[in-house]
Amino acid sequence: MDEIRGVPTWQEELASLVDAGLRYDSAPIDLTASTESTSKRSGYSYGSGSEARETLKDQVTGFMKSWGEMLIHLARGCKDIVEQTVVAEDSYVVRKLAEPAARVSKKLSFMNEYLPEDRDPVHAWPVIFFVFLLALAALSFNPEQDRPVAVITKLRLHPTNAPRVQLPDGRYLAYQELGVPAERARYSLLTPHSFLSSRLAGIPGVKKSLLVEYGVRLVSYDLPGFGESDPHRGRNLSSSASDLINLAAAIGIDEKFWLLGYSTGSMHSWAAMNYFPDKIAGAAMVAPVINPYEPSMTKEEMVKTWEQWLTKRRFMYFLARRFPALLPFFYRRSFLSGKLDHLDQWMSLSLGEKDKLLLKDPTFQEFYQRNVEESVRQGITKPFVEESVLQVSSWGFTLSEFRTQKKCTTNGVLSWLMSMYSEAECELVGFRKPIHIWQGMEDRVAPPSMSDYIGRMIPEATVHKIPNEGHFSFFYFCDECHRQIFYALFGEPKGQLEKVRETKETLAETETDKDSTSAATTTSTEE
C-alpha cells in the first residue's frame, strides 16, 4: 500500500536525514539507493551538493514581490472603503460638499473649451493638474546651486517732492512739468505713464532744448496709487479720463491739449479721447498695447499677438482676466519685494536685440531704477492689479468709434428715406483729429499686429512703422525719435510764445491790482 501511495517508510525518512557513516541493524545504509527509491515514490528530487543554492538577491526579490502584492491588496481595500463610506451618494462628505463643488465646477466650466473634444474633463483635468505640479517642481529645481550669487540692489525710498493738485473728490494727484512755462507754451502735451512706471518717465530722455524749440509744455502725472498720487477706491477708465481732465484744468490748461500714450499707458489716452473729445487736440501713441482678448480682433491678429509672448506673460494675462486675486502673490515676489531685478525678468518680456542693448546701457539702468522706486513707493498691490485688470477687461468703448463716419438723425421711415437723398440731417462723427501711431517692427511686447488692428479699426490714423526698432529703443533716450514725434504732431518748430499768455493766476493778479487801484482812487477823491 505504501508503494502505491508513494509515501516513504520511516526507515527511508531516517536514512535520508543521517550521514553516510550511520548504520542501521548492523548493516550500512545505502543513501543513494534510498534517495533514488524515495524520489521515485514521492516525486521529489534530492540534488547533489553541486546544485545552485538560493542567493540573497533571490530572497530580497521574493520579499519585495510579496510586499508589493500586500500593498496592492491594501490599496484595493482602502479604495473599497473610500467608495463605500466617503464617495457614496448618501455619505456625510458628499452631502456637505456636493453643492459647493457643483458651483465651483460651473464657474470653471469655461476651461473645458480648451480641451480636445474627445477628452472627458473628469479624467483630463486631474492629469493636467498633476503635470502642472510636476512642472512647478521642475522649475523650482536649480541644478546650478554653486554658481556665484548676483549682487542684489535694494530699492530706496526718496523724500516726497512732487507738486500735487486736489481733485473734486478730495484725492491728490502728483504731476511733473518739463519744457516751457505755462504762460509761454504753444502746445500742452499730457502723458499718462505705463505699467510699473511713474510721472518721472514722461518722455524718457527728452531734451529741454527740443521742448523749448517747439514751445511744448510737457506734463506727466502719477496714476492713482502710483508714486505720490492717492489711490482710487473704484478706478476704471472713465474715472481715469476724468482725472486727466481735472488735472489739466487745475494746472491752467484751458485750451485743447495733446495726448501721448506709451505702451499700456495708451489705454488712458484712448479713454480721455473717448469721454472728452472736445478737450483733445490730437494724440500720439507709441507702441500702444490693446486688450489682447479684444473680440473684434481677427484670428490672424490674435495668433500673431499671443505667439510673441513668453508662457509666463500669457499666464499673467490669464490670471488678470480670470483670477486677479492671485496677482498680488506674484507681485510681492517681484517688483514689490523691495529688491531690484532686470525689467525683462520682472515683466516676463521677450526682447529684440536693440531693446537688449538699451537695457544694458548705464543711463537707462539709472533711470529705470529711479522710475521703479517711485512707481512702487506706496508698496501696495492694488493699483498694479487694477492696471492689469483694466488692460484685459472691456474698456466700455471700441476703437472703431474713433473712425470718421456719417451719422444721420432719423425719426421714422420717412426721415430715413429723405436722409438717403439729402445731406442736411447727416453729420460726420468720430474723433476727427490727428492720431499718430509709432510701431517698432521688432517689438515683442506690443507686437505689430496690435498696430495693424488699430489701423484697421481707425483708417484715418497714421501708422509709422519703424524697422529694426523694439518696444523701448524708439522711445527711450532717442533724440531723433523724439524729434520725429514732435514734427509729426506740430509741424515745423515755431518756438515758445513771445507774448505772455494770460492764465488764471495772472488774471487774478490783474483783478487784484485793478481793485487796489480803484480803491486808492476812491480814497483820494474823498480826500
Side-chain angles (χ1 to χ4, degrees):
M1 290 294 293
D2 292 338
E3 293 180 358
I4 295 175
R5 288 195 297 254
V7 179
T9 64
W10 67 273
Q11 295 94 341
E12 292 172 340
E13 291 178 353
L14 180 60
S16 65
L17 296 175
V18 298
D19 295 331
L22 186 64
R23 295 177 179 277
Y24 178 73
D25 288 341
S26 301
I29 300 176
D30 188 358
L31 294 178
T32 305
S34 301
T35 305
E36 292 177 356
S37 175
T38 303
S39 302
K40 292 178 181 179
R41 294 176 183 178
S42 64
Y44 292 98
S45 173
Y46 297 90
S48 62
S50 62
E51 293 185 4
R53 300 177 63 183
E54 187 177 23
T55 63
L56 178 62
K57 179 180 179 181
D58 297 333
Q59 295 177 1
V60 173
T61 303
F63 179 78
M64 296 303 297
K65 288 183 179 179
S66 301
W67 265 104
E69 294 176 357
M70 292 174 60
L71 291 176
I72 291 175
H73 289 298
L74 178 63
R76 289 175 179 173
C78 294
K79 179 183 176 183
D80 293 339
I81 293 174
V82 171
E83 289 180 348
Q84 295 174 12
T85 60
V86 179
V87 187
E89 295 182 358
D90 58 344
S91 68
Y92 175 81
V93 176
V94 171
R95 290 198 304 268
K96 289 293 184 181
L97 300 180
E99 186 175 350
R103 290 198 299 267
V104 174
S105 176
K106 184 177 180 180
K107 290 183 178 180
L108 299 179
S109 60
F110 71 92
M111 300 178 66
N112 295 334
E113 300 176 0
Y114 300 98
L115 294 175
E117 296 181 357
D118 58 343
R119 292 291 185 270
D120 185 4
V122 177
H123 299 92
W125 284 115
V127 175
I128 294 174
F129 181 72
F130 179 71
V131 172
F132 176 72
L133 293 180
L134 288 179
L136 286 180
L139 290 174
S140 62
F141 175 72
N142 183 12
E144 302 178 0
Q145 296 293 341
D146 296 332
R147 67 182 181 180
V149 179
V151 178
I152 298 176
T153 304
K154 293 186 178 180
L155 298 178
R156 298 167 296 180
L157 183 62
H158 299 266
T160 56
N161 58 2
R164 304 201 304 172
V165 297
Q166 188 173 18
L167 302 177
D169 59 0
R171 291 181 296 113
Y172 283 90
L173 208 65
Y175 68 97
Q176 173 184 266
E177 286 193 56
L178 296 176
V180 302
E183 63 274 8
R184 304 293 296 273
R186 188 178 297 274
Y187 306 104
S188 295
L189 179 62
L190 270 68
T191 171
H193 62 78
S194 58
F195 191 86
L196 195 58
S197 187
S198 71
R199 70 183 184 281
L200 301 181
I203 302 178
V206 65
K207 296 290 182 62
K208 184 178 180 180
S209 58
L210 180 65
L211 296 173
V212 173
E213 182 181 353
Y214 277 87
V216 174
R217 178 191 185 190
L218 178 63
V219 180
S220 56
Y221 64 98
D222 289 328
L223 294 172
F226 292 78
E228 298 183 32
S229 290
D230 294 339
H232 191 289
R233 292 184 177 180
R235 186 159 68 102
N236 52 39
L237 288 182
S238 176
S239 68
S240 180
S242 298
D243 287 350
L244 192 152
I245 297 301
N246 290 329
L247 170 65
I251 61 178
I253 301 178
D254 300 321
E255 299 180 354
K256 294 182 179 181
F257 55 87
W258 293 76
L259 290 173
L260 191 151
Y262 168 69
S263 190
T264 56
S266 60
M267 65 177 173
H268 302 287
S269 298
W270 291 118
M273 294 162 60
N274 177 74
Y275 294 107
F276 301 96
D278 296 337
K279 299 286 186 178
I280 312 301
M285 305 290 179
V286 181
V289 177
I290 63 172
N291 182 358
Y293 295 96
E294 175 58 48
S296 57
M297 293 179 70
T298 64
K299 184 178 181 180
E300 182 180 3
E301 291 169 343
M302 191 81 72
V303 170
K304 287 184 177 180
T305 297
W306 284 88
E307 69 181 5
Q308 295 291 330
W309 293 332
L310 298 178
T311 303
K312 185 177 179 181
R313 184 170 179 82
R314 300 176 192 174
F315 179 65
M316 297 302 290
Y317 273 126
F318 170 77
L319 290 182
R321 184 170 175 84
R322 297 295 184 181
F323 306 102
L326 299 179
L327 290 176
F329 173 83
F330 295 93
Y331 292 164
R332 292 193 185 100
R333 283 156 181 78
S334 54
F335 52 81
L336 289 176
S337 64
K339 301 173 184 177
L340 185 69
D341 201 350
H342 296 292
L343 179 62
D344 54 338
Q345 296 294 327
W346 270 353
M347 303 300 294
S348 303
L349 304 179
S350 175
L351 302 178
E353 292 301 323
K354 270 202 166 184
D355 282 341
K356 290 179 180 179
L357 290 175
L358 176 66
L359 265 60
K360 296 178 182 178
D361 186 88
T363 304
F364 175 86
Q365 292 178 354
E366 181 181 358
F367 161 81
Y368 162 65
Q369 178 176 349
R370 181 66 183 91
N371 190 35
V372 171
E373 289 171 345
E374 191 63 28
S375 179
V376 301
R377 166 186 290 276
Q378 301 185 36
I380 55 178
T381 61
K382 184 175 182 292
F384 296 96
V385 173
E386 290 174 340
E387 198 73 2
S388 298
V389 172
L390 286 175
Q391 186 65 49
V392 299
S393 304
S394 173
W395 289 1
F397 57 89
T398 62
L399 296 184
S400 60
E401 297 176 23
F402 295 104
R403 72 168 65 184
T404 302
Q405 48 193 337
K406 185 185 297 184
K407 181 180 179 181
C408 300
T409 304
T410 57
N411 297 322
V413 178
L414 181 60
S415 300
W416 177 74
L417 291 174
M418 293 178 62
S419 66
M420 296 178 62
Y421 301 96
S422 175
E423 298 290 336
E425 297 186 11
C426 295
E427 60 177 351
L428 294 177
V429 296
F431 187 66
R432 301 183 62 196
K433 293 160 189 174
I435 300 177
H436 289 268
I437 299 170
W438 281 267
Q439 176 66 55
M441 299 309 292
E442 299 297 325
D443 192 340
R444 300 179 186 176
V445 181
S449 54
M450 287 191 169
S451 293
D452 293 340
Y453 166 77
I454 297 175
R456 183 169 62 85
M457 291 290 100
I458 314 175
E460 297 80 15
T462 303
V463 180
H464 307 266
K465 296 185 178 182
I466 316 298
N468 304 320
E469 294 289 352
H471 190 71
F472 302 97
S473 60
F474 180 77
F475 192 58
Y476 282 69
F477 303 98
C478 179
D479 297 339
E480 183 59 32
C481 306
H482 300 159
R483 183 172 290 276
Q484 288 183 27
I485 294 174
F486 281 12
Y487 182 79
L489 297 181
F490 311 127
E492 294 292 340
K494 300 178 182 178
Q496 55 187 339
L497 296 177
E498 296 298 332
K499 182 179 179 181
V500 177
R501 178 180 297 170
E502 289 186 337
T503 60
K504 291 182 178 179
E505 290 79 4
T506 57
L507 288 175
E509 293 175 359
T510 304
E511 293 295 332
T512 303
D513 294 339
K514 287 181 179 180
D515 293 341
S516 302
T517 304
S518 35
T521 305
T522 305
T523 304
S524 59
T525 304
E526 292 176 354
E527 292 177 353

